[in-house]
Amino acid sequence: MPSNGLSGGLFGVHGAALEVRSQRMGVLASNIANASTPGFKAQDVDFRKALASVEQSGSTSITSALQYRVPSQPSLDGNTVELSTEQTAFAENAVAYQTTLSFLNGRIGQITRALKGE
C-alpha cells in the first residue's frame, strides 16, 4: 500500500476518510444546486468503495465510486434530484465529516503535547 499521508501512519484511516467525505460533500452540494436543472442526474459516492480506492491507490480521486441515484419518483423533465434525500445525505455527511475532523484535531493535539514533553 502506498504511503500517501492519507492512510496509515499517525492518522490511520481518518485522513483518507476526511478526503472522501469532503469530496462527497461537493457531489451532494452539486445535486442540491441542480435540483431544478432539467435532465440533471443526481449522483452519490459509495463511501466504502471510495475509501478503499483512496487507501489502495494513494489517489484522492473518487470517480470510481460515483453512482447515479435511482429516484423513487422521477420528474417529467428527467431530473433525478430528490431534494429531501440530498439534504438528508448532506447533513449526515457533514456530521461524519465534523466527527472525523474532531478526531484528527485531537490526535494532532496529542502529538503536539508529546513533542512539547507535556
Side-chain angles (χ1 to χ4, degrees):
M1 177 168 32
S3 176
N4 59 4
L6 293 176
S7 61
L10 297 173
F11 303 118
V13 70
H14 300 286
L18 192 66
E19 177 65 30
V20 171
R21 291 199 189 287
S22 174
Q23 290 189 43
R24 182 176 184 230
M25 202 167 298
V27 170
L28 296 172
S30 175
N31 291 346
I32 292 169
N34 286 288
S36 61
T37 303
F40 184 82
K41 305 297 182 202
Q43 292 182 302
D44 199 356
V45 175
D46 179 329
F47 181 79
R48 291 178 193 258
K49 186 176 180 181
L51 185 60
S53 175
V54 167
E55 286 187 292
Q56 290 172 358
S57 70
S59 167
T60 58
S61 174
I62 59 165
T63 55
S64 64
L66 281 175
Q67 301 174 337
Y68 287 100
R69 285 206 194 276
V70 178
S72 56
Q73 294 183 354
S75 68
L76 295 176
D77 66 2
N79 186 306
T80 63
V81 175
E82 294 177 318
L83 201 50
S84 61
T85 300
E86 301 305 327
Q87 289 171 329
T88 300
F90 188 89
E92 288 173 350
N93 190 67
V95 168
Y97 179 91
Q98 187 60 45
T99 301
T100 303
L101 189 58
S102 293
F103 175 83
L104 288 172
N105 281 334
R107 184 72 176 126
I108 290 168
Q110 288 176 336
I111 293 166
T112 302
R113 286 189 299 279
L115 290 173
K116 289 181 179 178
E118 295 176 1

